[in-house]
Amino acid sequence: MRVRFLYFVRLFGFLAVLTAFVVLWKLGNVSYYSGSKKGFNHSHESDYNGNGFKNKYDRLNSDSVRSIRCIVNEKLILGCYLLKSQEVLIPFELVRNYFKVYGSLDLSSSTFYWNHANVDIPKPYLHKHNPVGIYMQFHKSNVEKRDNVKLIVADEGVPISQQWSSRGYPYPIQIAQFGLNHFSQLVISSGQAKFENVRNVLSLDNKNMELDLIVPSNNVIHRWADKEFIHKWNDRLMLSVDKLNSYGQVLSIIPKLQEWDYLIMSGRQWTYGSHIELSLLWYPPGGSYKNYPTKSLIVYNCSSSPSRHQTYATIIHNNKVTYWMPECEKQAKIYGFVDNIKVARDLYTDLMKVFYANRKSSEYTGLSSMKLLNTVNDTKNPSHVQVLNINFYINAQYNTNDIIIEKLYLGKLTNLQLTFPTVNRINLAEKLFHEIRFISAADWFIKHQDKKTGGWSVNIQRSFNGRKALKPGWYSAMGQGQAISLLVRTYNYTGNPLYLEACHRALDLFSVNINHGGIRSYFLNQSDLVWFEEYPFDPPIHILNGFIYSLIGLYDYTKLLVNSPDPLTLSYLSKAQNYLDIGLTSLSKLLPLFDSGSGSFYDLRHLSTAYNNKPVKQGRSKFSKSSFQLSTGPNRARWSYHSVHIKQLQTLADIDPEHAIQWNTTANRWIAYLQGFRSLEN
């Protein structure tokens, strides 16, 4: 009996191990390594018969598999199996963490996808870099959706960052990229597309109104207390202060129950405390959006927040959010009204940024490049919102003039494929949405430029291991460069000389050393190796992507001035060309130092003696018993930044023929690193 009992125990144990292996294998959670005493053999001896792979792993029996111990760098790892006494199966989770690779399983086709990097392979640009056109590939991005963007402030219309402070602060780099993002989408829309008034926009523009109606009756239901207080004047809609009801409400518009993406409103003579209120039905993340809609109110108010801790937006009773407009209030109190007000809002993202502030951007879409692949009639998209009604409230205490509404739109994005070149049908409201946003970003740079230094300071402390922290008020070469790129495009688009004059002043910091509050440094104190610092730490760390962005800004500026007939700009052109030339020369000499043999380095901090000699914390690997001082080692660029480096080199190859061979050769080698290739070894 005892022998039989032991026999059943062993049989049960073996079946348990076999079952565990089969489950892991079916889930695609293992990776195969064919080994022998001489090393690994990567051939699977497999073929494909149309229904699945057939190989020596398809049929397993009790003699095929058994559990073994895996000791990785002197540490025991569970979950390893031995096949046919020579083939080793290792859990993919171990391989993924150990080698930083990525995998996904498609159960429908019984296919496991293994990728060396978690980014798309950058492809050569189909268009040449245009200093007044699309900025690199920013038309494919969505700055507003980023996790480090707290929200888009309502009155200035620019992003507020929260990367280094949860309270939020304006960050020039983020604002410039926001403007370049929307300008590039505008170019895609206007430069390559045919404009039409299509059905995915609800126009409340008074120019299209019938004489006796607020809006076309087939589009909206309208109501008001006294018909006489709304009238036409110079193709504008006027809201009479004299006809306010007891709540200050002068107009309520009820659109059709249709889902929308964005709101656009432009007007004049807006008074302090006046606001727009939208009642919305939307589908928060989590659960089925088809069954669980939520009703919320969004208010855009021409006044400051009463709370010191919620400066930009305030949640009231969990279903109402007010976006405050302190700049609007300031101007209204000085002059009695705001002469010009423009609001361009992504409604769904405005809700998400406040009600679900801790959610990652991957959990919602907003006006994202991915969502642009949807069709116009996709009313089931959970990132659309239903606008139940729009109410206007006027505070007549400070002014008795009539408020003017020049434009009012609800819009939905068209089926815009973000490839270049492309031809699509784009509505004028969508064009206006991008136009308002990129000009708002450019106007922020006009308003906040330091007239003495010509820079845009970052008013938040920036800390760094092994360096003295940057106190608020520091400048960034990347911020200067991308601001110049935006201002050059805005000047060309509008013809307003204020944008060009701001570019002139922005050049000054490129000649000021970091130890004097500037952005210029020298690699290992060599006078012929100039670097423009994204973060002006002392000693410098020489960040690659920030430096290249500053050079692209200088290039955009010089190309604009080359075509300028104004002789007064020749001195600025000479100065900018000099900065660009010495920067490209330095990059050509130092670029090989950023090649790790399997990727690229984010910066060159590891080449600083002062940095390497500082005491640092020790690091411990989860696969090793040993501890090492890794903090002083190289700072490898993660794959997303490595991809940025490649795209930047592809741009440089287009704008700098002198070094084009070097830029292209390096870019192609770095693309190979994304696919698992390595440099040669001895």
Side-chain angles (χ1 to χ4, degrees):
M1 290 293 293
R2 183 176 180 181
V3 173
R4 183 175 298 178
F5 174 78
L6 292 175
Y7 171 80
F8 281 111
V9 169
R10 291 174 180 173
L11 179 61
F12 178 81
F14 173 79
L15 291 176
V17 171
L18 180 61
T19 302
F21 165 74
V22 172
V23 170
L24 287 173
W25 185 53
K26 288 292 185 181
L27 291 176
N29 198 33
V30 294
S31 55
Y32 302 105
Y33 286 84
S34 302
S36 64
K37 293 182 179 180
K38 294 183 179 180
F40 291 115
N41 173 16
H42 295 281
S43 172
H44 292 305
E45 301 177 11
S46 63
D47 57 14
Y48 187 69
N49 64 3
N51 298 317
F53 286 98
K54 284 190 173 182
N55 55 42
K56 55 188 174 184
Y57 303 127
D58 275 357
R59 295 181 179 274
L60 300 177
N61 52 48
S62 59
D63 298 326
S64 302
V65 58
R66 66 184 178 90
S67 176
I68 62 173
R69 295 192 306 163
C70 281
I71 299 178
V72 181
N73 293 331
E74 303 179 352
K75 185 173 182 179
L76 178 64
I77 302 297
L78 301 178
C80 297
Y81 296 90
L82 184 66
L83 292 178
K84 298 184 181 296
S85 301
Q86 62 178 358
E87 314 292 347
V88 178
L89 278 75
I90 301 176
F92 181 75
E93 188 69 14
L94 169 63
V95 179
R96 182 180 68 85
N97 292 329
Y98 197 77
F99 293 101
K100 291 293 183 182
V101 292
Y102 305 86
S104 60
L105 177 65
D106 183 358
L107 290 174
S108 62
S109 62
S110 298
T111 304
F112 183 73
Y113 296 92
W114 178 309
N115 295 300
H116 192 73
N118 60 342
V119 296
D120 294 332
I121 306 299
K123 296 179 175 57
Y125 291 168
L126 298 178
H127 62 284
K128 289 186 174 296
H129 180 81
N130 184 350
V132 295
I134 292 175
Y135 184 83
M136 295 183 62
Q137 295 191 23
F138 271 49
H139 59 291
K140 295 184 178 181
S141 64
N142 188 326
V143 174
E144 179 177 8
K145 186 186 167 192
R146 293 175 180 171
D147 295 328
N148 57 17
V149 171
K150 186 179 183 71
L151 48 76
I152 306 299
V153 69
D155 50 3
E156 291 189 291
V158 297
I160 297 299
S161 298
Q162 58 182 0
Q163 185 173 359
W164 302 312
S165 173
S166 59
R167 294 193 64 178
Y169 54 93
Y171 187 37
I173 291 176
Q174 197 99 267
I175 294 172
Q177 292 184 352
F178 176 78
L180 291 167
N181 173 201
H182 283 283
F183 177 84
S184 298
Q185 291 187 348
L186 175 67
V187 172
I188 285 288
S189 301
S190 59
Q192 296 293 322
K194 179 180 179 181
F195 284 94
E196 288 190 359
N197 289 321
V198 292
R199 60 179 175 175
N200 64 333
V201 60
L202 175 59
S203 173
L204 307 180
D205 187 348
N206 196 48
K207 294 179 181 179
N208 299 324
M209 296 178 187
E210 299 178 13
L211 184 61
D212 59 343
L213 294 176
I214 304 176
V215 291
S217 58
N218 62 333
N219 282 339
V220 301
I221 303 171
H222 54 276
R223 58 183 172 84
W224 56 89
D226 186 343
K227 186 175 180 179
E228 294 180 356
F229 85 91
I230 298 177
H231 56 280
K232 294 182 67 175
W233 177 74
N234 288 348
D235 291 327
R236 293 177 175 87
L237 181 64
M238 297 185 63
L239 307 184
S240 174
V241 177
D242 296 333
K243 300 296 183 179
L244 293 176
N245 64 20
S246 58
Y247 299 100
Q249 180 181 354
V250 296
L251 176 63
S252 180
I253 299 174
I254 305 176
K256 284 183 176 180
L257 289 181
Q258 188 174 356
E259 295 176 325
W260 306 102
D261 288 325
Y262 57 83
L263 165 76
I264 299 174
M265 193 281 293
S266 65
R268 302 181 64 185
Q269 299 180 186
W270 212 254
T271 56
Y272 159 66
S274 299
H275 57 275
I276 314 170
E277 179 186 84
L278 288 85
S279 178
L280 307 173
L281 197 64
W282 65 299
Y283 305 94
S288 173
Y289 67 86
K290 296 180 181 179
N291 300 323
Y292 302 102
T294 297
K295 185 177 180 180
S296 299
L297 296 176
I298 288 188
V299 177
Y300 303 102
N301 196 325
C302 182
S303 59
S304 300
S305 170
S307 171
R308 294 178 56 188
H309 303 290
Q310 294 180 312
T311 307
Y312 305 105
T314 303
I315 299 176
I316 302 175
H317 303 309
N318 295 325
N319 67 342
K320 179 179 179 180
V321 56
T322 297
Y323 276 81
W324 302 103
M325 306 170 73
E327 295 298 322
C328 178
E329 175 191 3
K330 186 185 302 182
Q331 189 178 142
K333 285 186 174 181
I334 294 175
Y335 302 105
F337 58 85
V338 179
D339 184 57
N340 186 19
I341 184 171
K342 292 184 179 180
V343 175
R345 309 301 299 184
D346 175 346
L347 297 174
Y348 185 83
T349 305
D350 274 354
L351 291 166
M352 284 294 303
K353 288 290 185 180
V354 176
F355 289 117
Y356 292 85
N358 296 324
R359 289 292 185 107
K360 295 293 184 181
S361 61
S362 58
E363 300 182 57
Y364 66 99
T365 53
L367 297 185
S368 68
S369 58
M370 292 299 295
K371 202 181 78 173
L372 295 179
L373 301 179
N374 295 330
T375 61
V376 174
N377 296 320
D378 180 16
T379 59
K380 298 299 183 182
N381 192 317
S383 61
H384 298 319
V385 298
Q386 289 185 4
V387 180
L388 304 180
N389 63 282
I390 307 174
N391 296 322
F392 289 85
Y393 296 84
I394 298 176
N395 184 353
Q397 179 180 355
Y398 289 86
N399 182 34
T400 58
N401 293 328
D402 291 338
I403 285 182
I404 300 172
I405 298 179
E406 295 179 311
K407 294 183 183 297
L408 185 63
Y409 292 103
L410 291 173
K412 186 186 295 184
L413 284 177
T414 58
N415 184 17
L416 178 60
Q417 300 287 339
L418 289 184
T419 56
F420 192 95
T422 183
V423 176
N424 292 285
R425 299 181 184 275
I426 309 300
N427 63 74
L428 291 171
E430 188 173 332
K431 174 180 178 290
L432 181 61
F433 178 83
H434 295 307
E435 180 182 278
I436 290 175
R437 288 195 148 197
F438 96 78
I439 291 180
S440 294
D443 288 344
W444 185 92
F445 285 103
I446 297 296
K447 180 179 179 181
H448 295 277
Q449 186 178 37
D450 188 295
K451 297 302 186 290
K452 293 182 179 180
T453 65
W456 295 278
S457 61
V458 183
N459 296 313
I460 194 76
Q461 180 169 299
R462 178 74 168 99
S463 300
F464 182 82
N465 184 30
R467 297 290 194 280
K468 185 179 180 180
L470 297 174
K471 295 181 179 180
W474 53 275
Y475 296 103
S476 168
M478 180 173 169
Q480 295 295 114
Q482 291 198 313
I484 289 174
S485 290
L486 174 63
L487 292 169
V488 163
R489 287 161 172 79
T490 311
Y491 167 71
N492 182 74
Y493 186 85
T494 65
N496 188 337
L498 290 177
Y499 300 116
L500 184 59
E501 292 167 6
C503 291
H504 297 336
R505 292 189 292 269
L507 293 179
D508 292 343
L509 277 175
F510 285 88
S511 64
V512 182
N513 291 347
I514 57 175
N515 53 3
H516 290 96
I519 59 177
R520 186 180 184 127
S521 71
Y522 301 90
F523 178 72
L524 297 181
N525 295 320
Q526 300 298 307
S527 60
D528 61 334
L529 295 177
V530 173
W531 202 268
F532 304 125
E533 297 290 341
E534 178 179 347
Y535 303 127
F537 290 107
D538 190 12
I541 58 177
H542 309 306
I543 296 175
L544 180 59
N545 83 92
F547 179 57
I548 297 179
Y549 278 132
S550 72
L551 298 183
I552 294 174
L554 291 171
Y555 172 85
D556 291 343
Y557 177 74
T558 57
K559 287 304 176 184
L560 178 72
L561 294 190
V562 164
N563 299 321
S564 172
D566 188 356
L568 297 178
T569 62
L570 291 179
S571 61
Y572 296 112
L573 173 60
S574 176
K575 185 188 300 185
Q577 189 66 56
N578 176 58
Y579 297 150
L580 177 60
D581 290 342
I582 61 177
L584 290 171
T585 300
S586 295
L587 181 62
S588 177
K589 295 178 180 179
L590 298 178
L591 184 62
L593 299 180
F594 288 90
D595 195 320
S596 71
S598 59
S600 57
F601 293 126
Y602 179 77
D603 54 43
L604 298 180
R605 67 183 70 182
H606 56 289
L607 299 181
S608 169
T609 304
Y611 171 62
N612 287 333
N613 290 336
K614 287 183 176 293
V616 295
K617 296 180 180 179
Q618 291 188 340
R620 181 185 296 274
S621 169
K622 64 184 296 185
F623 303 114
S624 174
K625 295 181 178 180
S626 303
S627 298
F628 301 95
Q629 290 189 356
L630 299 179
S631 299
T632 55
N635 184 28
R636 295 178 295 113
R638 60 179 181 263
W639 288 126
S640 58
Y641 274 104
H642 182 73
S643 178
V644 168
H645 292 162
I646 294 170
K647 295 173 184 176
Q648 289 180 319
L649 291 175
Q650 291 172 335
T651 299
L652 289 179
D654 185 30
I655 67 179
D656 179 29
E658 181 179 350
H659 303 98
I661 294 178
Q662 180 184 9
W663 309 143
N664 276 323
T665 301
T666 304
N668 291 334
R669 183 169 64 252
W670 288 6
I671 288 174
Y673 292 161
L674 285 173
Q675 299 170 303
F677 289 88
R678 298 290 183 266
S679 60
L680 299 178
E681 61 183 11
N682 60 12

